[in-house]
Amino acid sequence: MEPEVTGYLGEEVTLRCQFIPGPKDDIISQVEWELETPEGEDITIIVSGGRVKIAEQSLIIGNVETRDAGSYTCSVAAFPSGAFKGTTKLVVQEQKPLSAGTVSAIVIAVMLLFGIVAAIAYLIFIRKRDPKVRHRVYIDTDGPVMDVSRQSVLKRDVDVVYSDVRLKTPRDAPPDDEHTADDVTYADVVVVRHQLQ
């Protein structure tokens, strides 16, 4: 018998009792279970259906309740060897602990969620704080589509014409809302031309 078994409320628990016969061919004539409650009360368990049943010599309790906790003694009478006893303690708990797989899944989900939130925060707050971000645009004038990852693309900077940019103030903007040169996002435009040979 196991010294202690944990049962969970509403679940089924098995209190194992196994008689191992010796060299003689013993015949089991009787199996009896007794419960000593935490309050010290001795109860003889009679199986007549319901939540309790015996399989082999083991006691199976279905739909475990708090009052099922205590020390259970299994008594086996065998012929010709005699009588044997063993005791196991049933501890009743409210819920099963989480399995290792469940804990791993929760940790992975939390880490993934944290990564997504961090990426969104970066895109919203950090990237917006630097309005001077420069974008480079490549234009291939010789083909309908340009693959910028191609190594054979020739890049040549051409003269860029700058013009005066004035920001138009929206009508509903407050009069003290002033724009500065830092409000402009710059872009480089590069024209790529292929030379025919």
Side-chain angles (χ1 to χ4, degrees):
M1 294 186 71
E2 299 168 272
E4 185 174 293
V5 176
T6 302
Y8 300 97
L9 290 177
E11 304 277 328
E12 180 178 276
V13 67
T14 300
L15 305 177
R16 303 202 184 285
C17 177
Q18 183 180 10
F19 174 72
I20 302 171
K24 305 173 188 170
D25 289 333
D26 287 317
I27 298 171
I28 297 175
S29 59
Q30 182 179 353
V31 175
E32 181 180 279
W33 280 88
E34 292 179 1
L35 165 63
E36 182 182 339
T37 65
E39 295 80 27
E41 181 182 359
D42 287 331
I43 300 171
T44 301
I45 298 172
I46 300 172
V47 177
S48 61
R51 294 186 317 118
V52 181
K53 59 186 173 184
I54 294 179
E56 303 276 323
Q57 296 91 33
S58 298
L59 181 68
I60 302 168
I61 304 172
N63 195 22
V64 172
E65 299 174 0
T66 306
R67 65 186 176 111
D68 295 328
S71 293
Y72 287 80
T73 302
C74 172
S75 301
V76 177
F79 179 80
S81 295
F84 302 92
K85 286 186 178 187
T87 302
T88 186
K89 181 179 179 182
L90 175 62
V91 177
V92 178
Q93 294 183 356
E94 288 189 29
Q95 61 184 15
K96 286 185 179 181
L98 297 175
S99 68
T102 304
V103 171
S104 296
I106 291 170
V107 168
I108 290 170
V110 167
M111 289 174 59
L112 184 61
L113 182 62
F114 178 73
I116 291 170
V117 169
I120 291 172
Y122 171 77
L123 291 173
I124 291 175
F125 297 111
I126 297 175
R127 297 271 324 257
K128 279 195 170 185
R129 286 189 183 170
D130 187 8
K132 297 178 186 176
V133 175
R134 293 185 175 263
H135 303 282
R136 182 168 285 237
V137 178
Y138 295 97
I139 301 172
D140 186 354
T141 59
D142 291 336
V145 177
M146 180 189 131
D147 182 4
V148 291
S149 63
R150 247 184 359 187
Q151 294 297 325
S152 63
V153 172
L154 301 175
K155 298 176 186 168
R156 181 173 75 88
D157 289 332
V158 295
D159 292 337
V160 177
V161 177
Y162 293 95
S163 68
D164 187 23
V165 177
R166 294 179 193 250
L167 299 173
K168 186 174 182 181
T169 307
R171 291 182 187 171
D172 58 343
D176 61 320
D177 186 18
E178 294 183 19
H179 294 285
T180 65
D182 289 339
D183 293 337
V184 178
T185 300
Y186 296 94
D188 293 337
V189 177
V190 177
V191 178
V192 178
R193 296 178 192 228
H194 298 285
Q195 303 254 343
L196 294 176
Q197 296 186 11

